[in-house]
């Protein structure tokens, strides 16, 4: 592991001007005034040794990268958080896990080498998949989410089925891996570098064995993790990692008749997932895919694209009253557009915003139909 | 730079246990319990059965306690739960939302529950009074009086002319409505208290009553019922063989001497006896059974549901028809001459007067004619000359409020006074008789008692000050409330907010198929399942504030669950008496001394297991509010427009069910922290097969054998982790156990409401099934994750259950509990 000095150097933290633009743009800092990214950077620089690791505020960051575009010194705050958490975790410190840590424990169980998973039981005959091929579809944890969050009415498997339908529609029969494991995203951001690497090595090996040249994701977290974190830790991937919206828009031109005309009218707004937008820079692809569907009218929220607010929780850590405030604000912004449907592109956004909508007191004020961009597009297929 | 520390918010300090101003179990604080009004269902019950209380207890899964409440005023819950006409349901406010609560069937459910979970019945009660009481007739009136009197300390003898006890219950009601074992079981309870029932002993003769007094009885209660069938008073009635009266017909059927019937049977009358006779005839094999009734269906006195059941079994009903002459040939009945009827003006009973239609006579063919027009008391036991005042209906005239006859020391009640009437009215009259007999024997003037009762009626039932109780007056309050307030059910004064309630129709009673029903005399209605009963009871609107179940009084004697730990090494969950938990606490944990037998006193740390909410974390989702059985959490508004949950430490009983469902882990249960769990899991020996067993403390502590090694299989290592209640077992516990190397996980707790926490197993089952489905995707076999809720009252129930599940886990068999539960659900759904 790098030393603290390495981390500071690598993340440009030493160049911090203490201007506070990060804090001003941080969604958590807007609602929790005891949190400030600027202060965390400051403390990292001035504290002796590893004292910074005991700061609870280390775990408050959503790693949504809202703070980075405005930074004049180009400090990589997200990376700083990632490294500090890994160090804290090594020192036996950890953040507060949601659901009693059930989901992190599940991910660690997935590091067991000889699992005989039934994770593709949800596939049905309509979906065409292949054992070998150039394009691989990485399913992610949707089968687990649908059970664990059944109380919230979460339907992330609809998203994965839709993604496969879309791939089929552009003439691709994707490879699916029965021995796929969790991508390790949440373990990585919880500081559990060791188990993250176990999962990463397993998945990378498995993907390479299929010989795929393109890996498609409907979960932006998996996409970011494999594209950037696997590559950073394990070297050159040897394949291209793409979000489903990127893959479909790239291949759509070839088949113009993908979506038949005379679809129903649907007014939608779009929640940019932080991993897809600010982490991977894919702002256009999901919008392009949505707007290719006849009858879909996109109306943007007050804060969208680079300025979009994240869904309030990430990595199954620190789900607090502040998260709820962010979610309530985001849902209100969605309502303000007059849209019927809030379209997102990440299962986590769906879980978190659905949970917020369950508020017994705010009730109907927050309720809005939530749909993944892949589901929206697949519904319109011929 | 000085390292910055966050300052603890003020609320954080306030919610430290002990800082709040009062602590719940302070022996110096006193609580008054009183009723403000009585619910309409209870006011409607002639016997004043505390309906609301037992419904509330069923809703809370406290079935045994519910049954105790019923028994306070009604010794026949299983009988009334089947055949009561339930006036309570007619006044149920739930009807304004959708349908009344199935109060009667819920009573049957608790009675059946006891049959399925038998308890040693109470032994003989000591006789404390010198006077003896004779009761003539062992029907509901007689036995209710006997039951009351034996509890008051009197020696009681019941004389029964029939070979079996039970009066009209046994002789008149067929077993498909009321199975004989139910009657026998409930009468047996009364017998076991010391009541002597002399069956086959008819009191009759010239000096019958005198002899009773001469042989040492000091008071007599005549409760002979109305068993004598009335005559049709038409031509040909006594001329031919094959004419019966319903009363003697049912008597023969019920005592196993059913007569052979013709294929075509006519029953005359429109009451419950007519229907019982008709349905019995169907079961005896008659192919064409017709009820002939002179008015229309609207005027039929029989219960609507009985009529429907009879029709579904193939009984035909001829309305507006009356017989005028019985016809026959060769000494045998062949039919009857009938006339059509039209209805005129209402008579004094409020029903329209039947008027024969001229020249409408016709012949109705039948091989048997059963007259079921009414019954009257059989007064043949009295000598020709006697001192009793008999009415023109051949019933006893008595003082309305005391049931005293014209002879001192002799009382009469039940059908003998009213003519044919309901079981619950007979029970009510038994209570009055017992009270009057006690008053009489205490040489009190009956009139005086009657005055005081009148006075009680006029005083307001509402004022709390009247009812403030200390421990010694608890029973008095109960006694006064049993007599009811003397008001009518429609006088219920508290407004019930109907609009708040969502519609939820009442539970359907599972019933045997028609063909199975008419094939024999087995009980047609099958009874509610536990789940259905709880759901049905939860429909109750709880009219009026206090149900007077008096659980609070007994609960208060117990204390909150408290965790005592000894130097963090060995620990035990204990329920400590108030004197330990209630010094003037300034902060937990509290240092204490634990004395166990003659062993050296052990210094302990005492921590309450109550739950607290971290205000900064709580998202205000309300999950805790929805799962708490005790209403301890509450959502309160925050300045930012969101809500936050707070848990009342006074109400919280520390089961931890809310902790298990909190999505953001905002609820902290003292002692049961993440570190506690991890500490336990780290003790696994990775070289062996580890099975983690989460047990609820209250079942587990008592029954986990001290020597765990003995239970371990040679290659297996058992790790017992005790939680306050199995409701605390959350999904992460199972995942974490696996993560730390467990091979299987078992949850073992109490059955529903077997301990002071009611529904932990329900929540644990939900969590477990969810995790099992997820682990199935991962390729773990579901058999390795099992749960069991053994009855701790069974010998070795807990250890046996654990053994069984360990074997199943090893052999890959599915969880028996799981299968059973699915089976029950399927039955309920069907």
């Amino acid at each position: 592991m790098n030393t603290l000095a390495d981390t500071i150097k690598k993340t440009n933290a030493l160049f911090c001007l203490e201007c506070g633009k990060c804090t001003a743009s941080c969604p958590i800092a807007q609602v929790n005034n005891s949190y400030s990214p600027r202060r965390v950077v400051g403390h990292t620089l001035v504290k002796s040794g590893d004292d910074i690791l005991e700061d609870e505020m280390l775990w408050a960051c959503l790693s949504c990268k809202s703070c980075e575009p405005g930074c004049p010194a180009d400090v990589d705050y997200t990376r700083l958080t990632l490294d500090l958490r890994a160090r804290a975790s090594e020192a036996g410190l950890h953040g507060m896990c949601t659901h009693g840590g059930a989901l992190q424990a599940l991910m660690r169980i997935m590091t067991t080498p000889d699992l005989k998973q039934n994770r593709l039981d949800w596939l049905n005959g309509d979906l065409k998949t292949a054992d070998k091929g150039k394009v691989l579809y990485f399913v992610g944890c949707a089968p687990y989410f649908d059970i664990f969050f059944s109380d919230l009415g979460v339907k992330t498997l609809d998203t994965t089925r839709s993604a496969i339908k879309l791939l089929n529609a552009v003439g691709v029969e994707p490879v699916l891996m029965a021995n796929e494991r969790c991508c390790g995203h949440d373990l990585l951001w919880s500081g559990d570098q060791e188990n993250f690497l176990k999962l990463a090595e397993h998945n990378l090996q498995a993907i390479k064995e299929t010989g795929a040249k393109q890996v498609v994701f409907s979960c932006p977290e998996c996409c970011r993790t494999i594209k950037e974190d696997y590559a950073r830790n394990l070297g050159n991937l040897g394949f291209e990692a793409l979000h489903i919206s990127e893959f479909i828009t790239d291949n759509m031109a070839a088949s113009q008749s993908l979506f038949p005309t005379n679809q129903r009218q649907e007014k939608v707004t779009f929640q940019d997932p932080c991993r897809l937008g600010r982490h991977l820079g894919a702002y256009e692809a999901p919008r392009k895919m949505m707007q290719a569907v006849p009858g879909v009218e996109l109306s943007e929220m007050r804060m969208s694209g680079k300025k979009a607010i994240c869904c309030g929780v990430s990595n199954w850590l620190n789900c607090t009253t502040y998260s709820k405030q962010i979610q309530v604000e985001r849902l209100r912004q969605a309502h303000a557009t007059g849209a019927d449907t809030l379209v997102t592109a990440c299962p986590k956004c769906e879980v978190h915003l659905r949970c917020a909508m369950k508020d017994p007191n705010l009730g109907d004020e927050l309720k809005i139909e939530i749909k993944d961009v892949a589901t929206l597009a697949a519904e319109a297929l011929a | 730079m000085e390292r910055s520390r966050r300052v603890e918010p003020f609320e954080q300090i306030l919610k430290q246990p002990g800082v709040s101003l009062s602590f719940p179990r302070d022996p110096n604080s006193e609580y008054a319990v009183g009723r403000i009004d009585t619910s309409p269902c209870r006011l409607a019950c002639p016997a004043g059965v505390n309906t609301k209380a037992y419904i509330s207890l069923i809703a809370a899964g406290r079935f045994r306690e519910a049954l105790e409440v019923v028994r306070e005023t009604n010794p026949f819950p299983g009988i009334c739960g089947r055949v009561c006409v339930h006036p309570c349901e007619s006044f149920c406010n739930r009807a304004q939302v959708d349908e009344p609560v199935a109060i009667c069937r819920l009573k049957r459910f608790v009675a059946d529950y006891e049959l399925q979970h038998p308890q040693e019945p109470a032994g003989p009660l000591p006789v404390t009074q010198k006077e003896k009481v004779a009761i003539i007739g062992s029907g509901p009136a007689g036995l209710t009086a006997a039951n009351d009197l034996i509890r008051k300390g009197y020696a009681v003898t019941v004389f029964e002319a029939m070979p079996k006890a039970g009066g009209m219950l046994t002789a008149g009601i067929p077993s498909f409505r009321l199975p004989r074992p139910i009657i026998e079981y409930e009468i047996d309870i009364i017998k076991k208290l010391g009541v002597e029932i002399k069956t086959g002993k008819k009191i009759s003769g010239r000096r019958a009553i005198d002899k009773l007094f001469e042989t040492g009885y000091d008071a007599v209660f005549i409760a002979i019922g109305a068993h004598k069938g009335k005559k049709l008073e038409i031509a040909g009635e006594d001329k031919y063989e094959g004419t019966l009266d319903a009363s003697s017909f049912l008597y023969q059927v019920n005592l196993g001497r059913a007569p052979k019937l013709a294929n075509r049977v006519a029953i005359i009358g429109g009451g419950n006896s007519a229907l019982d006779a008709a349905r019995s005839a169907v079961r005896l094999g008659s192919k064409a059974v017709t009820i002939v009734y002179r008015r229309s269906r609207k005027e039929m006195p029989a219960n609507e549901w009985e009529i429907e059941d009879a029709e579904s079994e193939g009984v035909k009903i001829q309305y507006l028809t009356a017989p005028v002459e019985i016809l026959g040939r060769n000494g045998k009945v062949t039919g009857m001459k009938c006339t059509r009827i039209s209805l005129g003006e209402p008579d004094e009973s409020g029903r329209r007067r039947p008027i024969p239609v001229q020249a409408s006579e016709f012949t109705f063919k039948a091989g048997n004619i059963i007259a079921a027009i009414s019954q009257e008391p059989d007064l043949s036991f009295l000598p020709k000359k006697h001192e009793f005042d008999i009415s023109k209906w051949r019933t006893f005239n008595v003082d309305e409020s005391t049931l005293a006859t014209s002879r001192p020391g002799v009382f009469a009640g039940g059908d003998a006074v009213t003519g044919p009437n309901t079981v619950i009215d007979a029970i009510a009259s038994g209570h009055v008789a017992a009270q009057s007999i006690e008053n009489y024997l205490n040489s009190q003037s009956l009139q005086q008692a009657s005055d005081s009762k009148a006075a009680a009626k006029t005083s307001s039932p509402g004022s709390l000050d009247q009812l403030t109780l200390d421990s010694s007056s608890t029973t008095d309050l109960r006694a006064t409330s049993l007599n009811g307030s003397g008001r009518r059910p429609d006088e219920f004064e508290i407004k019930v907010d109907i609009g708040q309630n969502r519609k939820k129709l009442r539970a359907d009673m599972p019933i045997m198929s028609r063909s199975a029903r008419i094939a024999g005399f087995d009980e047609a209605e099958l009874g509610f399942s536990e789940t259905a009963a709880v759901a049905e009871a939860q429909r109750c609107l709880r009219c009026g504030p206090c149900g007077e179940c008096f659980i609070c009084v007994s609960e208060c004697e117990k204390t909150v669950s408290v965790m005592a730990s000894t130097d963090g090494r060995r620990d035990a969950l204990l329920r400590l008496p108030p004197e330990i938990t209630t010094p003037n606490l300034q902060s937990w944990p509290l240092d204490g001394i634990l004395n166990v037998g003659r062993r050296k006193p052990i210094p302990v740390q005492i921590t309450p297991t109550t739950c607290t909410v971290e205000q900064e974390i709580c998202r205000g989702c309300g999950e805790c509010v929805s799962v708490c059985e005790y209403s301890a959490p509450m959502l309160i508004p925050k300045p930012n427009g969101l809500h936050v949950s707070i848990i009342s430490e006074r109400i919280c009983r520390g089961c931890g069910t809310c902790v298990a469902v909190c999505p953001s882990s905002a609820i902290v249960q003292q002692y049961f922290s993440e570190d506690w769990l991890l500490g336990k899991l780290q003790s696994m020996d990775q070289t062996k097969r580890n099975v983690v067993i989460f047990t609820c403390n209250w079942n587990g502590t008592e029954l986990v054998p001290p020597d765990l090694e003995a239970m371990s299989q040679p290659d297996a290592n058992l790790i017992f982790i005790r939680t306050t209640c199995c409701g605390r077992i959350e999904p992460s516990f199972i995942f974490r156990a696996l993560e730390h190397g467990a091979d299987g996980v078992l949850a073992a707790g109490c059955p529903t409401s077997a301990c002071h926490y009611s529904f932990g197993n329900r929540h644990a089952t939900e969590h477990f099934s969810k995790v099992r489905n997820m682990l199935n995707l991962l390729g773990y076999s579901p058999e390795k994750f099992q749960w069991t809720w053994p009855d701790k009252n069974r010998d070795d129930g807990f250890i046996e259950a654990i053994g069984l599940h360990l074997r199943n886990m090893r052999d890959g068999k599915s969880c028996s509990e799981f299968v059973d539960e699915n089976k029950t659900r399927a039955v309920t759904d069907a």
Side-chain angles (χ1 to χ4, degrees), chain B residues 234 268-269 291-297 299 318-325 336-345 347 351-362:
Chain B
I234 55 173
I268 299 157
I291 290 175
V292 175
Y293 180 54
R294 56 183 180 161
R295 292 189 173 94
S296 70
R297 180 163 184 148
E299 284 86 13
Q318 284 257 350
Y319 298 103
L320 297 168
T321 306
V324 288
E325 188 188 344
M336 55 190 178
K337 194 188 275 175
C338 296
T339 178
R340 296 289 182 199
I341 299 285
S342 70
L343 292 179
E345 291 303 305
D347 62 11
R351 296 182 300 179
R352 293 169 69 190
R353 196 185 298 274
I355 304 164
V357 178
Q358 279 196 337
S360 65
E361 288 175 7
F362 65 101

Side-chain angles (χ1 to χ4, degrees), chain B residues 611-622:
Chain B
C611 303
T612 42
V613 181
E614 298 269 1
Q615 306 290 300
E616 273 194 40
I617 300 173
C618 173
R619 295 167 50 84
C621 67

Side-chain angles (χ1 to χ4, degrees), chain A residues 56 108 118 324 358, chain B residues 6 619 623 739 776-777:
Chain A
E56 279 182 34
R108 280 192 278 269
N118 306 313
K324 179 72 171 277
K358 248 185 94 183
Chain B
R6 273 193 308 140
R619 295 167 50 84
E623 283 292 311
E739 182 196 340
N776 184 34
L777 289 182

Side-chain angles (χ1 to χ4, degrees), chain B residues 300-612:
Chain B
M300 255 175 115
N303 302 327
E304 182 58 34
W305 58 93
E306 291 272 332
I307 304 176
E308 283 165 13
D309 285 349
E311 284 181 328
S312 78
E313 289 165 11
V315 173
K316 299 269 177 307
I317 307 179
Q318 284 257 350
Y319 298 103
L320 297 168
T321 306
V324 288
E325 188 188 344
I326 304 288
L327 307 172
R329 200 184 311 132
N330 302 333
K332 289 207 168 155
V333 170
T334 56
M336 55 190 178
K337 194 188 275 175
C338 296
T339 178
R340 296 289 182 199
I341 299 285
S342 70
L343 292 179
E345 291 303 305
D347 62 11
E348 64 270 29
S349 77
R351 296 182 300 179
R352 293 169 69 190
R353 196 185 298 274
I355 304 164
V357 178
Q358 279 196 337
S360 65
E361 288 175 7
F362 65 101
T363 306
F364 188 96
K365 280 187 189 161
N368 280 105
I369 293 173
I370 302 174
I373 48 168
S374 187
Q375 293 112 264
E376 59 187 27
D378 182 358
L379 297 180
S380 63
F381 79 108
L382 291 175
K384 280 218 175 74
K385 273 185 75 180
H386 58 76
E387 61 268 75
F388 295 106
D389 183 4
I390 302 295
S391 73
K392 66 171 176 174
W393 297 283
R394 313 272 302 147
T395 58
F396 285 85
N397 275 336
V398 292
D399 180 303
E400 258 183 48
S401 57
T402 64
L403 301 183
T405 62
S406 35
R407 176 171 176 172
V410 180
F411 300 79
D415 285 1
V417 167
T418 56
N421 202 349
T422 63
V423 177
I424 194 72
D425 277 300
I427 292 171
S429 129
H431 286 310
V432 176
Q435 188 59 50
S436 296
I437 289 170
E438 186 188 25
N439 291 348
Y440 167 78
L441 293 175
N442 284 342
S443 307
Q444 284 174 344
S445 144
L446 293 181
Q447 196 50 47
Q448 191 187 330
S450 145
D451 282 352
S452 68
K453 197 175 172 194
K457 277 186 192 176
T458 52
S459 75
S460 134
S463 52
L464 254 181
D465 52 350
Q466 233 186 324
L467 296 165
T468 306
L469 62 147
D470 56 48
S471 57
S472 64
S473 70
T474 311
T475 42
D476 296 346
L477 172 64
R478 234 187 257 227
T480 53
S481 61
L482 288 188
N483 291 336
S485 59
R487 293 177 309 143
R488 292 200 319 273
D490 49 2
E491 289 173 27
F492 178 66
E493 280 157 1
I494 291 178
K495 199 169 174 292
V496 178
D497 194 354
I498 304 295
Q500 290 290 313
N501 295 282
R502 251 194 256 151
K503 281 196 178 169
K504 186 177 171 234
L505 295 184
R506 67 197 236 151
D508 280 332
M509 171 59 85
I511 188 162
M512 255 199 243
S513 74
R514 186 189 156 270
S515 53
R517 255 152 63 197
I518 61 173
F521 281 79
D522 286 345
E523 187 171 28
E525 297 191 340
L526 302 172
F528 287 149
S529 69
E530 244 172 71
T531 341
V534 170
E536 179 60 26
Q538 283 172 348
R539 293 177 64 240
C540 171
L541 301 179
R542 317 271 166 99
C543 314
C546 171
E548 292 170 351
C549 65
F550 290 93
I551 285 298
C552 53
V553 176
S554 52
E555 279 294 307
C556 204
E557 288 158 11
K558 304 172 189 168
T559 55
V560 72
S561 62
V562 165
M563 164 63 77
S565 94
T566 56
D567 330 327
R569 275 181 290 125
R570 296 175 53 210
D571 52 62
L573 271 172
L574 303 171
R575 286 205 277 165
L576 300 180
E579 49 279 18
I580 295 183
T581 58
T582 54
N584 292 322
L585 298 169
Q586 288 307 308
S587 64
W588 296 99
L590 177 75
D591 290 322
I593 301 286
L594 186 66
N595 292 297
V596 185
R598 277 176 296 167
R599 273 194 269 165
K600 213 173 88 189
I602 311 163
V604 293
Q605 277 198 336
I606 301 169
T607 322
T609 61
T610 46
C611 303
T612 42

Side-chain angles (χ1 to χ4, degrees), chain A residues 54 56 96-100 105 108-109 116-118 144 148 319-322 324-325 327 358 360-361, chain B residues 3 6 616-619 621 623 638 640 642-643 663-665 732 739 770 774 776-780:
Chain A
E54 284 176 26
E56 279 182 34
M96 202 191 50
C97 297
T98 61
H99 305 282
R108 280 192 278 269
I109 294 171
K116 300 255 177 308
Q117 297 186 82
N118 306 313
Y144 297 98
F148 198 76
C319 171
T320 62
T321 183
Y322 307 118
K324 179 72 171 277
Q325 259 179 290
Q327 289 153 359
K358 248 185 94 183
N361 291 295
Chain B
R3 190 177 146 194
R6 273 193 308 140
E616 273 194 40
I617 300 173
C618 173
R619 295 167 50 84
C621 67
E623 283 292 311
K638 293 213 301 190
N640 62 9
L642 298 181
H643 284 71
S664 45
S665 311
S732 67
E739 182 196 340
K770 205 185 237 185
M774 291 171 79
N776 184 34
L777 289 182
L778 267 185
Y780 283 86

